[in-house]
Amino acid sequence: MITVPKLTIEDARIIMDAAVRKSREIAVPMDIAIVDEGGHLLLFQRLDGAKITSIQISIDKAFTAAGTRRPTHEYSKTAGPGGPAFGLHTSHQGRFSIVGGGVPIVVNGAVVGAVGCSSGTAEQDREVAETAIQVFTNQLPKNL
Amino acid sequence: MITVPKLTIEDARIIMDAAVRKSREIAVPMDIAIVDEGGHLLLFQRLDGAKITSIQISIDKAFTAAGTRRPTHEYSKTAGPGGPAFGLHTSHQGRFSIVGGGVPIVVNGAVVGAVGCSSGTAEQDREVAETAIQVFTNQLPKNL
Amino acid sequence: MITVPKLTIEDARIIMDAAVRKSREIAVPMDIAIVDEGGHLLLFQRLDGAKITSIQISIDKAFTAAGTRRPTHEYSKTAGPGGPAFGLHTSHQGRFSIVGGGVPIVVNGAVVGAVGCSSGTAEQDREVAETAIQVFTNQLPKNL
Amino acid sequence: MITVPKLTIEDARIIMDAAVRKSREIAVPMDIAIVDEGGHLLLFQRLDGAKITSIQISIDKAFTAAGTRRPTHEYSKTAGPGGPAFGLHTSHQGRFSIVGGGVPIVVNGAVVGAVGCSSGTAEQDREVAETAIQVFTNQLPKNL
C-alpha cells in the first residue's frame, strides 16, 4: 500500500472558478469538466452559450488527460494522420481525445486529475484549462 | 474435426513474466494483455505507473493481433491515412488497433494467441511484446 | 488536497494468488479481476477451464463493487425484480453487476479497490473474492 | 501447450444442413448461427421468412452457449427474475442470452462450438439446435 494525493470537491471548485473567469475574459463560453485521477467526473459546468456537443467532448478531453497523464494536444501530432500512434482516437469507443483542451492537474509530480474544456478553438480550450490549473497550483501551500 | 495447439495459463504466465522484465529493463511501466487465439483475455497486468487509458488499448492491440494473425504495426501504413485499408480502425466499435504493440504468438506456424502492450511509444510497446513472445517460444521443446 | 491509500501491483498479486488458491481448493476454475479504487483493471487471470463469457462479467463485478463501495450481492435484492432500485443493472451499458461475486477491498475503512470473480455460482464467486481479500488484509501491518 | 479439437467449416455445414432440415420439418423458418469455441461466427443462414431481429439473437445465443459451455435455456431460471444470477443478461452489452435456443456442441467432453437458433418459440429454437448437434455427433467416428 502507498498513499497518494487526491483532489477534494473544494479543490475542484477553485479550478472551476478560475476556468469560468478565463472563459469570460476571452469571451468564449465553454463546457468545463474536471475529473479525478481515475478519469471520473468531479465537477462540470456549461456556461450560457457553450455548445451542447462540447459537453461530452470536454469530459472526454479530461478523461484522456487524466488517463494518459499528458495534455491532449500532445496527441494531435503523434496520433494524428501520419503520426506513429494514429488510430488511438477511436479507442474507448471514440472517447480518447487527441484535440487540445485536456490538461492534467499535476501536484508535486503526481497527476491528481485533469481539466477538459471545449467550445472554442483547440488553443482557446487549452488556454482556459491551463490557466485554471495554474491558479489552483499557485495557491497551494509551498510545503504540501 | 481437426486438432489445434492451445495456450494454457502456465504458458501465458511465462510470457507475462518476460514482458514485465522487459518493461522494467527499458524503464517504461506498461499495461500488458495476453489473449488466446479467439482474442479473449487470458492474463492482464497494469504495472505501477502504467496509463489507465492503456488498459483497454493493450487489450485491443492483443485482440487485433490474434484476430488478424498479424502484428498491429503492419496496419499502421496499410490502414493509416492514404493506405488502401484506411477505415479499419473504427471497426469493432473502435477496437481494431493499427498502432504498434500488438503481436501474435506463433507456435509451429499456428497463431495461438497474442500479446498487447501499451503506455510507451509504439516502438517500445512492440519491443516488449516481441521480446516476451521470443522468450516463450525459445523455451518450447524443439519437437513440439 | 487529501491523501488516500492506494493498492500497488504487489498488493494486487497477493490478492490474486489467494484467489487462485481458493478457486483451486473448491475446484471451480474462475475468471478473477482486481481493479483499483477508480474501477480500472489492475490484474486479471482466466484459469484453464474458466468461462470466456465470465471475463467481462468478472471485470464488471469488480468495477461495480469498487464504484458503489458495496459487494454486488447486496444489489441482488434491492436492484432485482420487485426491488426499489430495479433497473440499475442496465446502466453503464449493462456493466452494473447485481450478481454476487464482486467485493470491495477495504483497508482502514477506505475502499482501495475490488475483486470480481465469475464462472461458478454467485455464492462460489463471492466466496473466492471474500477469501482473497481476507488473506490480503490479514497480512497488512496492524498500525498501517 | 495443449491440443484441442476444433470444428472445420465442413463440420459446420453438416450441422447447418441438419438444422435447416429440422426447421423445415417443423415449418418454422429460422435464423441459424454456428460459432466456434471462442464464440466467433462460423456459419449463418436466414431462411426465407425468418425474422430480421433474430439474426443477432441467434448469434448471441450461440455466443453465450459457447462462452458459458451451457445451453442458454439453463439460464432462463437461474438468471431470470428471482434467480440468483439475475442481471447476467445485460452483460456483454446485452448479448448474454438467457433464452432457450443456444446449445453447445460437445465432442468427447470438450465444447468445440455452439448453435444458436431464433424465430420460433424458445422450445422450437432449442429443438432445432439440439437435433442438428445430435445429427453431427452421431456421424462422428466412434474412436475420434
Side-chain angles (χ1 to χ4, degrees), chain A residues 5 8 28 40 57 97 104 111 135:
Chain A
T8 63
V28 182
H40 298 299
I57 294 172
S97 177
V111 171
V135 167

Side-chain angles (χ1 to χ4, degrees), chain D residues 79-91:
Chain D
F86 178 79
L88 283 186
H89 63 297
T90 62
S91 67

Side-chain angles (χ1 to χ4, degrees), chain A residues 37-39 63-64 66-70 75 80-82 84-94 96, chain B residues 49-57 60 76 79-81 86 89-90 93-96 98-100 122-123:
Chain A
E37 77 292 351
F63 163 77
T64 304
T68 62
R69 294 193 292 272
R70 293 174 59 179
Y75 284 99
F86 178 77
L88 283 186
H89 64 297
T90 63
S91 67
H92 294 271
Q93 301 176 296
F96 192 106
Chain B
K51 295 173 186 169
I52 286 174
T53 39
S54 286
I55 298 169
Q56 192 59 49
I57 293 171
D60 291 351
S76 300
F86 179 76
H89 63 296
T90 60
Q93 301 178 293
R95 295 190 59 201
F96 193 108
I98 62 169
V99 180
E123 286 75 20

Side-chain angles (χ1 to χ4, degrees), chain D residues 10-27:
Chain D
E10 292 302 331
D11 297 320
R13 282 186 193 124
I14 294 169
I15 299 169
M16 178 60 80
D17 288 348
V20 170
R21 278 196 306 274
K22 187 65 183 177
S23 171
R24 288 188 172 140
E25 183 187 314
I26 65 171

Side-chain angles (χ1 to χ4, degrees), chain C residues 29 49-57 60-61 76 79-81 86 89-90 93-96 98-100 118 122-123, chain D residues 2 37-39 63-70 75 80-94 96:
Chain C
K51 295 175 186 167
I52 286 175
T53 38
S54 286
I55 298 170
Q56 193 60 49
I57 293 172
D60 291 351
K61 285 180 180 177
S76 299
F86 179 76
H89 63 297
T90 61
Q93 301 177 295
R95 296 189 59 202
F96 192 108
I98 62 170
V99 181
S118 184
E123 287 72 23
Chain D
I2 54 174
E37 78 292 349
F63 162 78
T64 305
T68 61
R69 294 191 293 271
R70 295 174 60 178
Y75 284 100
F86 178 79
L88 283 186
H89 63 297
T90 62
S91 67
H92 294 272
Q93 300 177 297
F96 192 106

Side-chain angles (χ1 to χ4, degrees), chain C residues 39-133:
Chain C
H40 299 300
L41 198 59
L42 257 176
L43 209 49
F44 171 84
Q45 189 160 185
R46 171 160 56 104
L47 294 177
D48 291 335
K51 295 175 186 167
I52 286 175
T53 38
S54 286
I55 298 170
Q56 193 60 49
I57 293 172
S58 66
I59 294 172
D60 291 351
K61 285 180 180 177
F63 163 77
T64 305
T68 61
R69 294 192 292 271
R70 294 175 60 178
T72 53
H73 68 263
E74 291 192 8
Y75 284 99
S76 299
K77 270 206 176 160
T78 54
F86 179 76
L88 280 185
H89 63 297
T90 61
S91 66
H92 294 270
Q93 301 177 295
R95 296 189 59 202
F96 192 108
S97 177
I98 62 170
V99 181
V103 183
I105 306 165
V106 183
V107 175
N108 288 343
V111 172
V112 296
V115 178
C117 295
S118 184
S119 274
T121 64
E123 287 72 23
Q124 290 168 328
D125 294 342
R126 175 183 168 188
E127 186 186 9
V128 171
E130 287 179 343
T131 302
I133 293 169

